[in-house]
Amino acid sequence: MSAQTYLIDTNVFIGLEDPHEVSSEFSSLVQLASKHSVSILVHDAELDDIRRDPDATRQQVSLSKFAKFQSVANVRGLTDDKLVSLFGPLRKPNDVVDAKLLHALWIGVSDFLVTEDAGLHDRARLYAPELIGRVLYVADAVALLRTTYEPIDVPLRYVEEVEANSIPVDDPIFESLRNGYPAFDNWWREKCVRQRRRCWVVPDEKGLAGIVVRKEEAADETDATTRGQRFLKVCTFKVRHKRRGTKLGELLLKQVLWFAQMNLFDVVYLTTYPEQSALISLIEYYGFVQTGTAANGELLFEKALSQDPLGAKLGDDLFVLACRNYPRFHAGPSVEAYAIPIREEYHHALFPELKDQRQLELFEFAGHAGIGGGPLRPGNTIRKVYLCRAQARIQQPGALLLFYKSTSILPPSRALTTVGIFENMRLAQSIEDLHRLTGGRSVYSERQLLKWGATSDHPVKVIDFLLVGHITPPILLHELVANEVLKGHPQSIVRLLDNRLTPIIDRFDFGFTVR
Protein backbone atom coordinates (compact mmCIF):
# COMPACT_ATOMS: atom_id res chain seq x y z
CA MET A 1 0.00 0.00 0.00
CA SER A 2 1.12 3.57 -0.64
CA ALA A 3 2.28 5.73 2.26
CA GLN A 4 0.21 8.86 2.80
CA THR A 5 1.21 11.91 4.83
CA TYR A 6 -1.02 14.20 6.89
CA LEU A 7 0.24 17.61 8.00
CA ILE A 8 -1.60 18.70 11.15
CA ASP A 9 -2.30 22.23 12.35
CA THR A 10 -1.47 23.43 15.86
CA ASN A 11 -5.10 23.41 16.96
CA VAL A 12 -5.39 19.70 16.17
CA PHE A 13 -2.62 18.23 18.29
CA ILE A 14 -2.69 20.80 21.08
CA GLY A 15 -6.41 21.47 21.10
CA LEU A 16 -6.11 25.10 22.16
CA GLU A 17 -9.70 25.88 21.24
CA ASP A 18 -11.45 22.76 22.60
CA PRO A 19 -9.00 20.34 24.21
CA HIS A 20 -11.45 17.66 25.24
CA GLU A 21 -13.37 17.21 22.00
CA VAL A 22 -10.54 17.78 19.52
CA SER A 23 -7.96 15.66 21.33
CA SER A 24 -10.41 12.74 21.52
CA GLU A 25 -11.02 12.74 17.79
CA PHE A 26 -7.32 13.34 17.18
CA SER A 27 -6.65 10.08 19.05
CA SER A 28 -8.67 8.25 16.38
CA LEU A 29 -6.62 10.01 13.69
CA VAL A 30 -3.33 8.97 15.31
CA GLN A 31 -4.49 5.40 15.91
CA LEU A 32 -5.65 4.91 12.33
CA ALA A 33 -2.51 6.56 10.94
CA SER A 34 -0.29 4.33 13.03
CA LYS A 35 -2.26 1.21 12.13
CA HIS A 36 -1.91 1.87 8.40
CA SER A 37 1.61 3.38 8.32
CA VAL A 38 0.36 6.86 7.49
CA SER A 39 2.77 9.64 8.46
CA ILE A 40 1.63 12.49 10.72
CA LEU A 41 3.70 15.66 10.30
CA VAL A 42 3.92 19.04 11.97
CA HIS A 43 5.52 22.21 10.58
CA ASP A 44 8.32 24.30 12.08
CA ALA A 45 6.21 27.41 11.48
CA GLU A 46 3.80 26.15 14.13
CA LEU A 47 6.47 26.72 16.76
CA ASP A 48 5.71 30.43 16.34
CA ASP A 49 2.10 29.74 17.37
CA ILE A 50 3.25 27.86 20.46
CA ARG A 51 5.81 30.45 21.52
CA ARG A 52 3.20 33.21 21.44
CA ASP A 53 1.29 31.48 24.23
CA PRO A 54 1.65 33.75 27.32
CA ASP A 55 1.17 30.77 29.65
CA ALA A 56 4.72 29.46 30.14
CA THR A 57 3.65 26.14 31.61
CA ARG A 58 1.20 25.43 28.82
CA GLN A 59 3.81 26.50 26.30
CA GLN A 60 6.22 23.87 27.60
CA VAL A 61 3.52 21.20 27.43
CA SER A 62 2.72 22.19 23.86
CA LEU A 63 6.38 22.08 22.86
CA SER A 64 6.65 18.59 24.30
CA LYS A 65 3.65 17.49 22.22
CA PHE A 66 5.19 19.08 19.12
CA ALA A 67 8.43 17.17 19.66
CA LYS A 68 6.64 13.82 19.36
CA PHE A 69 6.09 14.33 15.62
CA GLN A 70 8.31 14.55 12.57
CA SER A 71 8.59 18.20 11.60
CA VAL A 72 8.64 19.86 8.19
CA ALA A 73 11.30 22.56 7.91
CA ASN A 74 10.56 26.11 6.78
CA VAL A 75 11.44 26.84 3.15
CA ARG A 76 14.53 29.01 2.94
CA GLY A 77 14.00 32.42 1.44
CA LEU A 78 10.21 32.12 1.42
CA THR A 79 9.03 35.71 1.89
CA ASP A 80 5.75 37.06 3.16
CA ASP A 81 5.26 38.75 -0.22
CA LYS A 82 5.46 35.37 -1.93
CA LEU A 83 2.98 33.91 0.53
CA VAL A 84 0.60 36.83 -0.03
CA SER A 85 0.75 36.31 -3.79
CA LEU A 86 -0.20 32.66 -3.34
CA PHE A 87 -2.53 32.59 -0.35
CA GLY A 88 -3.92 36.06 0.25
CA PRO A 89 -3.42 38.83 2.84
CA LEU A 90 -1.43 38.18 6.02
CA ARG A 91 -2.96 40.52 8.57
CA LYS A 92 -1.67 38.86 11.76
CA PRO A 93 1.15 36.49 12.73
CA ASN A 94 -1.07 33.43 12.70
CA ASP A 95 -1.95 34.15 9.05
CA VAL A 96 1.72 33.66 8.15
CA VAL A 97 1.67 30.25 9.82
CA ASP A 98 -1.50 29.31 7.94
CA ALA A 99 0.01 30.38 4.64
CA LYS A 100 3.16 28.32 5.30
CA LEU A 101 1.02 25.26 5.99
CA LEU A 102 -0.77 25.76 2.68
CA HIS A 103 2.56 26.31 0.96
CA ALA A 104 3.82 22.96 2.30
CA LEU A 105 0.72 21.32 0.87
CA TRP A 106 1.15 23.20 -2.42
CA ILE A 107 4.76 22.06 -2.95
CA GLY A 108 3.83 18.46 -2.15
CA VAL A 109 5.41 17.92 1.25
CA SER A 110 2.21 16.26 2.44
CA ASP A 111 -0.89 14.79 0.87
CA PHE A 112 -3.38 16.46 3.22
CA LEU A 113 -3.57 19.28 5.76
CA VAL A 114 -5.74 18.65 8.81
CA THR A 115 -7.06 21.70 10.68
CA GLU A 116 -10.06 22.73 12.76
CA ASP A 117 -9.45 26.38 11.79
CA ALA A 118 -12.34 27.37 9.52
CA GLY A 119 -10.40 30.50 8.55
CA LEU A 120 -7.67 28.32 7.09
CA HIS A 121 -10.30 26.36 5.15
CA ASP A 122 -11.67 29.66 3.85
CA ARG A 123 -8.21 30.85 2.84
CA ALA A 124 -7.69 27.70 0.79
CA ARG A 125 -11.12 28.04 -0.81
CA LEU A 126 -10.61 31.70 -1.73
CA TYR A 127 -6.96 31.73 -2.78
CA ALA A 128 -5.97 28.14 -3.56
CA PRO A 129 -9.10 26.29 -4.71
CA GLU A 130 -6.95 23.55 -6.22
CA LEU A 131 -5.98 22.60 -2.66
CA ILE A 132 -9.37 22.72 -0.96
CA GLY A 133 -10.04 19.02 -1.41
CA ARG A 134 -6.86 18.32 0.52
CA VAL A 135 -7.60 20.61 3.49
CA LEU A 136 -9.61 18.49 5.93
CA TYR A 137 -11.32 18.80 9.27
CA VAL A 138 -10.31 16.13 11.78
CA ALA A 139 -13.59 14.25 11.33
CA ASP A 140 -13.12 14.20 7.57
CA ALA A 141 -9.52 13.03 7.90
CA VAL A 142 -10.64 10.16 10.14
CA ALA A 143 -13.43 9.29 7.70
CA LEU A 144 -10.99 9.38 4.77
CA LEU A 145 -8.58 7.03 6.52
CA ARG A 146 -11.39 4.61 7.29
CA THR A 147 -12.75 4.78 3.75
CA THR A 148 -9.30 4.28 2.27
CA TYR A 149 -8.01 1.50 4.48
CA GLU A 150 -11.03 -0.03 6.22
CA PRO A 151 -13.90 0.20 3.71
CA ILE A 152 -15.60 -2.99 4.89
CA ASP A 153 -16.01 -1.57 8.38
CA VAL A 154 -17.53 1.75 7.30
CA PRO A 155 -21.36 1.66 7.24
CA LEU A 156 -23.30 3.93 4.94
CA ARG A 157 -24.57 7.02 6.67
CA TYR A 158 -28.31 7.41 6.81
CA VAL A 159 -30.56 10.42 7.07
CA GLU A 160 -33.74 9.51 8.87
CA GLU A 161 -36.84 11.68 9.14
CA VAL A 162 -38.31 11.62 12.65
CA GLU A 163 -40.47 13.69 14.98
CA ALA A 164 -38.68 15.70 17.65
CA ASN A 165 -40.53 13.90 20.43
CA SER A 166 -38.85 10.63 19.42
CA ILE A 167 -35.35 11.98 20.10
CA PRO A 168 -33.91 11.47 23.63
CA VAL A 169 -33.41 14.89 25.17
CA ASP A 170 -30.17 13.70 26.79
CA ASP A 171 -28.54 12.84 23.47
CA PRO A 172 -24.91 14.14 23.49
CA ILE A 173 -25.52 16.26 20.38
CA PHE A 174 -27.52 18.71 22.50
CA GLU A 175 -24.72 19.42 25.01
CA SER A 176 -23.15 22.32 23.15
CA LEU A 177 -26.57 23.72 22.25
CA ARG A 178 -27.39 23.93 25.95
CA ASN A 179 -24.07 25.63 26.64
CA GLY A 180 -24.76 28.33 24.09
CA TYR A 181 -28.50 28.67 24.70
CA PRO A 182 -29.57 28.38 28.38
CA ALA A 183 -33.25 28.21 27.42
CA PHE A 184 -32.66 25.28 25.08
CA ASP A 185 -34.54 22.66 27.12
CA ASN A 186 -37.64 24.83 27.34
CA TRP A 187 -37.48 25.65 23.61
CA TRP A 188 -37.04 21.99 22.73
CA ARG A 189 -39.97 20.94 24.91
CA GLU A 190 -42.41 23.72 23.93
CA LYS A 191 -41.52 24.36 20.31
CA CYS A 192 -40.17 21.05 19.06
CA VAL A 193 -41.59 18.22 21.15
CA ARG A 194 -45.01 19.73 21.82
CA GLN A 195 -45.41 20.77 18.16
CA ARG A 196 -43.92 17.47 16.96
CA ARG A 197 -41.61 19.24 14.57
CA ARG A 198 -40.05 17.17 11.84
CA CYS A 199 -36.33 16.52 12.03
CA TRP A 200 -33.68 14.91 9.87
CA VAL A 201 -31.15 12.98 11.89
CA VAL A 202 -28.01 11.00 11.15
CA PRO A 203 -27.69 8.28 13.80
CA ASP A 204 -24.52 6.51 14.76
CA GLU A 205 -23.39 4.18 17.51
CA LYS A 206 -23.20 7.04 20.06
CA GLY A 207 -26.54 8.68 19.37
CA LEU A 208 -26.98 11.40 16.77
CA ALA A 209 -24.05 12.47 14.60
CA GLY A 210 -26.13 15.23 13.03
CA ILE A 211 -29.57 16.82 13.24
CA VAL A 212 -31.68 19.35 11.33
CA VAL A 213 -34.92 20.65 12.82
CA ARG A 214 -37.22 22.24 10.27
CA LYS A 215 -40.28 24.46 10.40
CA GLU A 216 -42.59 25.36 7.53
CA GLU A 217 -43.83 28.96 7.55
CA ALA A 218 -46.18 31.25 5.65
CA ALA A 219 -45.38 34.82 4.66
CA ASP A 220 -47.16 36.30 7.69
CA GLU A 221 -45.15 34.32 10.26
CA THR A 222 -41.61 34.27 8.94
CA ASP A 223 -38.54 36.23 10.03
CA ALA A 224 -37.03 35.96 6.54
CA THR A 225 -36.61 39.17 4.55
CA THR A 226 -36.66 37.61 1.06
CA ARG A 227 -40.11 37.81 -0.48
CA GLY A 228 -42.15 34.67 -1.02
CA GLN A 229 -45.17 32.66 0.04
CA ARG A 230 -43.67 29.47 1.45
CA PHE A 231 -40.66 29.42 3.75
CA LEU A 232 -38.58 26.59 5.18
CA LYS A 233 -36.84 27.60 8.38
CA VAL A 234 -33.90 25.51 9.52
CA CYS A 235 -34.32 25.93 13.27
CA THR A 236 -31.33 23.76 14.16
CA PHE A 237 -28.44 22.58 12.00
CA LYS A 238 -26.01 20.68 14.16
CA VAL A 239 -23.22 18.17 13.67
CA ARG A 240 -21.86 16.59 16.84
CA HIS A 241 -18.42 18.03 17.47
CA LYS A 242 -16.55 14.76 17.06
CA ARG A 243 -18.26 14.29 13.69
CA ARG A 244 -17.73 17.87 12.60
CA GLY A 245 -16.42 18.21 9.07
CA THR A 246 -17.65 19.04 5.62
CA LYS A 247 -19.12 15.71 4.52
CA LEU A 248 -21.77 15.25 7.17
CA GLY A 249 -22.80 18.90 7.00
CA GLU A 250 -22.98 18.64 3.21
CA LEU A 251 -25.16 15.54 3.50
CA LEU A 252 -27.64 17.34 5.75
CA LEU A 253 -27.63 20.45 3.55
CA LYS A 254 -28.39 18.31 0.51
CA GLN A 255 -31.36 16.86 2.34
CA VAL A 256 -32.65 20.36 3.16
CA LEU A 257 -32.21 21.78 -0.34
CA TRP A 258 -33.56 18.79 -2.27
CA PHE A 259 -36.62 18.72 0.00
CA ALA A 260 -37.21 22.47 -0.30
CA GLN A 261 -36.80 22.46 -4.09
CA MET A 262 -39.07 19.48 -4.67
CA ASN A 263 -41.75 20.82 -2.34
CA LEU A 264 -41.88 24.24 -4.02
CA PHE A 265 -40.64 26.42 -1.18
CA ASP A 266 -39.70 29.98 -2.10
CA VAL A 267 -37.08 30.58 0.57
CA VAL A 268 -34.88 28.52 2.89
CA TYR A 269 -33.32 30.36 5.82
CA LEU A 270 -31.46 29.91 9.09
CA THR A 271 -29.66 31.91 11.76
CA THR A 272 -26.22 31.23 13.16
CA TYR A 273 -23.47 32.96 15.08
CA PRO A 274 -20.29 34.31 13.41
CA GLU A 275 -18.09 31.71 15.14
CA GLN A 276 -19.87 28.94 13.21
CA SER A 277 -17.56 29.71 10.32
CA ALA A 278 -17.51 26.16 8.92
CA LEU A 279 -21.30 26.16 8.56
CA ILE A 280 -21.28 29.68 7.11
CA SER A 281 -18.65 28.73 4.54
CA LEU A 282 -20.68 25.67 3.54
CA ILE A 283 -24.03 27.42 3.10
CA GLU A 284 -22.51 30.41 1.30
CA TYR A 285 -20.91 28.04 -1.20
CA TYR A 286 -24.38 26.77 -2.05
CA GLY A 287 -26.04 30.14 -2.43
CA PHE A 288 -27.11 31.37 1.01
CA VAL A 289 -26.70 35.13 1.47
CA GLN A 290 -26.44 37.03 4.74
CA THR A 291 -29.44 39.36 4.91
CA GLY A 292 -29.34 40.65 8.48
CA THR A 293 -27.84 40.64 11.97
CA ALA A 294 -29.92 40.35 15.14
CA ALA A 295 -29.30 42.37 18.31
CA ASN A 296 -27.75 39.29 19.96
CA GLY A 297 -25.24 38.91 17.13
CA GLU A 298 -26.98 36.10 15.26
CA LEU A 299 -26.57 36.27 11.49
CA LEU A 300 -29.53 35.68 9.18
CA PHE A 301 -28.81 33.69 6.01
CA GLU A 302 -31.38 33.18 3.26
CA LYS A 303 -31.52 31.33 -0.05
CA ALA A 304 -34.22 32.08 -2.61
CA LEU A 305 -35.56 29.16 -4.65
CA SER A 306 -37.40 29.08 -7.96
CA GLN A 307 -39.13 26.53 -10.16
CA ASP A 308 -38.22 28.41 -13.35
CA PRO A 309 -35.39 27.44 -15.71
CA LEU A 310 -32.05 28.81 -14.52
CA GLY A 311 -30.84 31.39 -17.01
CA ALA A 312 -27.23 32.23 -17.77
CA LYS A 313 -25.46 35.24 -19.21
CA LEU A 314 -22.60 35.20 -21.69
CA GLY A 315 -19.39 34.57 -19.79
CA ASP A 316 -21.02 32.98 -16.74
CA ASP A 317 -19.14 30.10 -15.14
CA LEU A 318 -21.91 27.50 -15.31
CA PHE A 319 -20.43 25.40 -12.52
CA VAL A 320 -20.32 28.37 -10.14
CA LEU A 321 -23.85 29.23 -11.24
CA ALA A 322 -25.00 25.70 -10.36
CA CYS A 323 -23.35 25.89 -6.93
CA ARG A 324 -24.98 29.20 -6.06
CA ASN A 325 -28.38 28.02 -7.25
CA TYR A 326 -28.09 24.41 -6.08
CA PRO A 327 -29.87 22.11 -6.82
CA ARG A 328 -30.90 24.05 -9.95
CA PHE A 329 -28.55 24.15 -12.94
CA HIS A 330 -28.45 25.69 -16.40
CA ALA A 331 -29.11 23.33 -19.31
CA GLY A 332 -29.52 25.60 -22.32
CA PRO A 333 -28.65 24.52 -25.88
CA SER A 334 -25.05 25.70 -25.48
CA VAL A 335 -24.43 23.37 -22.54
CA GLU A 336 -22.58 20.20 -23.46
CA ALA A 337 -23.87 16.82 -22.25
CA TYR A 338 -22.07 13.51 -21.86
CA ALA A 339 -23.11 9.95 -21.10
CA ILE A 340 -20.70 8.52 -18.53
CA PRO A 341 -20.65 4.72 -18.31
CA ILE A 342 -19.89 3.43 -14.84
CA ARG A 343 -19.44 -0.13 -13.62
CA GLU A 344 -21.71 -1.44 -10.89
CA GLU A 345 -18.94 -1.51 -8.26
CA TYR A 346 -18.20 2.19 -8.68
CA HIS A 347 -21.86 3.13 -9.13
CA HIS A 348 -22.52 1.63 -5.69
CA ALA A 349 -19.63 3.61 -4.20
CA LEU A 350 -20.67 6.95 -5.72
CA PHE A 351 -24.44 6.58 -5.38
CA PRO A 352 -25.08 4.19 -2.48
CA GLU A 353 -28.73 5.22 -2.21
CA LEU A 354 -29.39 3.57 -5.58
CA LYS A 355 -27.69 0.30 -4.73
CA ASP A 356 -30.91 -1.66 -4.25
CA GLN A 357 -33.78 -0.85 -6.59
CA ARG A 358 -36.14 -2.76 -4.31
CA GLN A 359 -35.84 0.19 -1.97
CA LEU A 360 -36.53 2.90 -4.52
CA GLU A 361 -39.44 4.18 -2.49
CA LEU A 362 -36.98 5.01 0.28
CA PHE A 363 -35.04 7.35 -1.92
CA GLU A 364 -37.84 9.62 -3.13
CA PHE A 365 -36.17 12.61 -1.55
CA ALA A 366 -39.10 14.92 -2.07
CA GLY A 367 -41.96 13.41 -0.12
CA HIS A 368 -44.71 15.96 0.43
CA ALA A 369 -44.25 18.92 2.70
CA GLY A 370 -46.30 18.66 5.84
CA ILE A 371 -46.97 14.94 5.43
CA GLY A 372 -43.56 13.78 6.60
CA GLY A 373 -42.99 10.11 6.98
CA GLY A 374 -39.62 9.08 5.85
CA PRO A 375 -37.83 5.83 5.91
CA LEU A 376 -34.10 5.62 6.23
CA ARG A 377 -32.07 7.05 3.36
CA PRO A 378 -28.46 6.06 2.75
CA GLY A 379 -26.53 9.28 2.62
CA ASN A 380 -23.91 10.79 0.43
CA THR A 381 -22.55 14.23 -0.24
CA ILE A 382 -22.94 16.77 -3.04
CA ARG A 383 -19.40 17.08 -4.43
CA LYS A 384 -17.94 13.88 -5.83
CA VAL A 385 -15.17 12.45 -7.98
CA TYR A 386 -15.35 9.91 -10.81
CA LEU A 387 -12.35 8.03 -12.20
CA CYS A 388 -11.89 6.84 -15.78
CA ARG A 389 -9.47 6.45 -18.67
CA ALA A 390 -11.82 7.68 -21.37
CA GLN A 391 -10.35 9.44 -24.39
CA ALA A 392 -12.93 12.23 -24.17
CA ARG A 393 -11.72 15.55 -22.85
CA ILE A 394 -14.51 17.46 -21.07
CA GLN A 395 -13.65 21.13 -20.71
CA GLN A 396 -16.86 23.09 -20.17
CA PRO A 397 -17.57 23.83 -16.48
CA GLY A 398 -21.27 23.20 -15.97
CA ALA A 399 -21.55 20.49 -18.61
CA LEU A 400 -24.20 17.84 -17.89
CA LEU A 401 -22.90 14.44 -16.85
CA LEU A 402 -25.46 11.66 -17.30
CA PHE A 403 -24.26 8.57 -15.48
CA TYR A 404 -25.05 5.29 -17.22
CA LYS A 405 -24.95 2.17 -15.05
CA SER A 406 -23.45 -0.63 -17.11
CA THR A 407 -24.49 -4.28 -17.12
CA SER A 408 -25.23 -5.04 -13.48
CA ILE A 409 -26.35 -7.77 -11.13
CA LEU A 410 -28.65 -5.46 -9.20
CA PRO A 411 -31.20 -3.36 -11.10
CA PRO A 412 -31.17 -1.09 -12.92
CA SER A 413 -28.87 -2.53 -15.53
CA ARG A 414 -27.87 -0.60 -18.66
CA ALA A 415 -29.67 2.61 -17.74
CA LEU A 416 -29.15 6.32 -17.12
CA THR A 417 -29.58 6.83 -13.40
CA THR A 418 -28.03 10.07 -12.24
CA VAL A 419 -27.30 13.66 -13.25
CA GLY A 420 -24.16 15.57 -12.30
CA ILE A 421 -22.65 18.94 -13.15
CA PHE A 422 -19.06 18.93 -14.36
CA GLU A 423 -16.48 20.96 -12.44
CA ASN A 424 -13.11 19.97 -13.86
CA MET A 425 -10.99 17.08 -15.12
CA ARG A 426 -7.47 16.40 -13.84
CA LEU A 427 -4.86 13.72 -14.52
CA ALA A 428 -3.46 11.40 -11.86
CA GLN A 429 -0.09 9.90 -12.80
CA SER A 430 0.54 7.90 -9.62
CA ILE A 431 -1.25 6.43 -6.62
CA GLU A 432 -0.11 9.51 -4.69
CA ASP A 433 -1.84 11.73 -7.26
CA LEU A 434 -5.01 9.66 -6.90
CA HIS A 435 -4.97 10.07 -3.14
CA ARG A 436 -4.51 13.81 -3.40
CA LEU A 437 -7.03 14.42 -6.16
CA THR A 438 -9.78 12.23 -4.72
CA GLY A 439 -9.06 12.62 -1.01
CA GLY A 440 -11.43 15.38 0.03
CA ARG A 441 -14.38 13.64 -1.64
CA SER A 442 -13.18 10.07 -1.74
CA VAL A 443 -15.42 7.03 -1.63
CA TYR A 444 -12.64 4.82 -2.97
CA SER A 445 -10.66 2.32 -0.93
CA GLU A 446 -6.90 1.92 -1.24
CA ARG A 447 -7.47 -1.37 -3.04
CA GLN A 448 -9.76 0.28 -5.59
CA LEU A 449 -7.28 3.08 -6.22
CA LEU A 450 -4.37 0.68 -6.63
CA LYS A 451 -6.33 -1.27 -9.25
CA TRP A 452 -6.15 1.74 -11.54
CA GLY A 453 -2.35 1.52 -11.79
CA ALA A 454 -1.92 5.23 -12.50
CA THR A 455 1.41 6.11 -14.13
CA SER A 456 2.75 8.97 -16.23
CA ASP A 457 2.39 6.77 -19.31
CA HIS A 458 -1.04 5.53 -18.30
CA PRO A 459 -2.72 8.33 -16.29
CA VAL A 460 -6.18 8.23 -14.76
CA LYS A 461 -8.67 11.02 -15.33
CA VAL A 462 -10.25 12.43 -12.17
CA ILE A 463 -13.57 14.15 -12.85
CA ASP A 464 -14.97 16.45 -10.15
CA PHE A 465 -18.73 17.02 -10.25
CA LEU A 466 -21.84 18.00 -8.31
CA LEU A 467 -24.58 15.46 -7.72
CA VAL A 468 -27.85 17.22 -8.60
CA GLY A 469 -30.38 14.41 -8.82
CA HIS A 470 -31.40 10.90 -9.75
CA ILE A 471 -33.65 10.04 -12.69
CA THR A 472 -36.73 8.20 -11.44
CA PRO A 473 -37.34 5.75 -12.91
CA PRO A 474 -33.98 5.27 -14.67
CA ILE A 475 -33.97 5.49 -18.48
CA LEU A 476 -33.19 2.06 -19.90
CA LEU A 477 -30.90 1.43 -22.86
CA HIS A 478 -33.70 0.34 -25.22
CA GLU A 479 -35.43 3.71 -24.61
CA LEU A 480 -32.21 5.60 -25.24
CA VAL A 481 -31.63 3.76 -28.51
CA ALA A 482 -35.27 4.14 -29.59
CA ASN A 483 -35.02 7.92 -29.05
CA GLU A 484 -31.62 8.06 -30.81
CA VAL A 485 -29.94 9.41 -27.69
CA LEU A 486 -27.40 6.57 -27.87
CA LYS A 487 -26.54 4.20 -30.68
CA GLY A 488 -25.94 1.36 -28.27
CA HIS A 489 -24.28 0.41 -25.00
CA PRO A 490 -21.55 3.07 -24.46
CA GLN A 491 -18.07 1.72 -23.83
CA SER A 492 -16.63 5.10 -22.96
CA ILE A 493 -17.71 8.71 -22.38
CA VAL A 494 -19.98 9.82 -25.22
CA ARG A 495 -20.87 13.40 -26.17
CA LEU A 496 -24.64 13.65 -26.65
CA LEU A 497 -26.24 15.79 -29.33
CA ASP A 498 -28.39 18.57 -27.92
CA ASN A 499 -31.23 17.92 -30.37
CA ARG A 500 -31.48 14.39 -28.95
CA LEU A 501 -31.57 15.40 -25.27
CA THR A 502 -35.26 16.27 -24.99
CA PRO A 503 -36.44 12.72 -24.06
CA ILE A 504 -33.88 12.69 -21.25
CA ILE A 505 -34.49 16.20 -19.93
CA ASP A 506 -38.24 15.63 -19.98
CA ARG A 507 -37.65 12.83 -17.45
CA PHE A 508 -35.84 15.08 -14.97
CA ASP A 509 -38.07 15.66 -11.95
CA PHE A 510 -35.99 17.81 -9.63
CA GLY A 511 -38.54 20.44 -8.61
CA PHE A 512 -37.86 22.98 -11.36
CA THR A 513 -38.19 23.31 -15.12
CA VAL A 514 -34.81 22.41 -16.57
CA ARG A 515 -35.34 24.17 -19.91
Side-chain angles (χ1 to χ4, degrees), residues 200 214 232 255-263 265 365-366 369:
W200 289 300
R214 74 176 190 257
L232 185 67
Q255 173 73 61
V256 170
L257 294 180
W258 281 25
F259 177 88
Q261 187 68 57
M262 286 295 293
N263 286 284
F265 284 92
F365 234 89

Side-chain angles (χ1 to χ4, degrees), residues 324-348:
R324 291 175 180 169
N325 292 276
Y326 190 85
R328 297 165 68 216
F329 53 90
H330 180 66
S334 63
V335 177
E336 298 172 4
Y338 297 86
I340 311 283
I342 178 171
R343 298 203 308 267
E344 184 173 35
E345 173 189 4
Y346 296 110
H347 192 276
H348 289 171

Side-chain angles (χ1 to χ4, degrees), residues 11-27 58 65 241-242:
N11 57 59
V12 175
F13 70 87
I14 298 178
L16 294 175
E17 297 178 352
D18 193 344
H20 302 295
E21 296 288 352
V22 174
S23 61
S24 175
E25 189 66 8
F26 173 63
S27 296
R58 188 170 58 193
K65 291 182 179 180
H241 190 90
K242 290 183 181 180

Side-chain angles (χ1 to χ4, degrees), residues 393-463:
R393 180 71 180 174
I394 306 174
Q395 295 182 308
Q396 183 189 50
L400 299 184
L401 305 182
L402 305 172
F403 288 91
Y404 173 92
K405 186 165 176 255
S406 300
T407 304
S408 305
I409 297 173
L410 293 177
S413 178
R414 296 195 170 197
L416 287 183
T417 66
T418 302
V419 181
I421 303 300
F422 175 77
E423 180 179 2
N424 57 44
M425 177 184 284
R426 297 170 292 173
L427 293 180
Q429 301 184 35
S430 64
I431 184 63
E432 291 77 20
D433 282 352
L434 279 176
H435 280 307
R436 293 176 180 180
L437 295 180
T438 67
R441 313 176 192 178
S442 182
V443 296
Y444 302 102
S445 69
E446 174 82 350
R447 184 176 303 172
Q448 287 172 320
L449 293 178
L450 285 169
K451 280 183 180 180
W452 285 94
T455 65
S456 56
D457 294 329
H458 203 39
V460 175
K461 289 180 177 175
V462 179
I463 297 177

Side-chain angles (χ1 to χ4, degrees), residues 7 56 58 77 81 132 143 149 162 169 193 273 307 338 435 447 492:
L7 176 63
R58 188 170 58 193
D81 287 343
I132 190 59
Y149 297 108
V162 301
V169 71
V193 173
Y273 288 100
Q307 289 75 54
Y338 297 86
H435 280 307
R447 184 176 303 172
S492 187

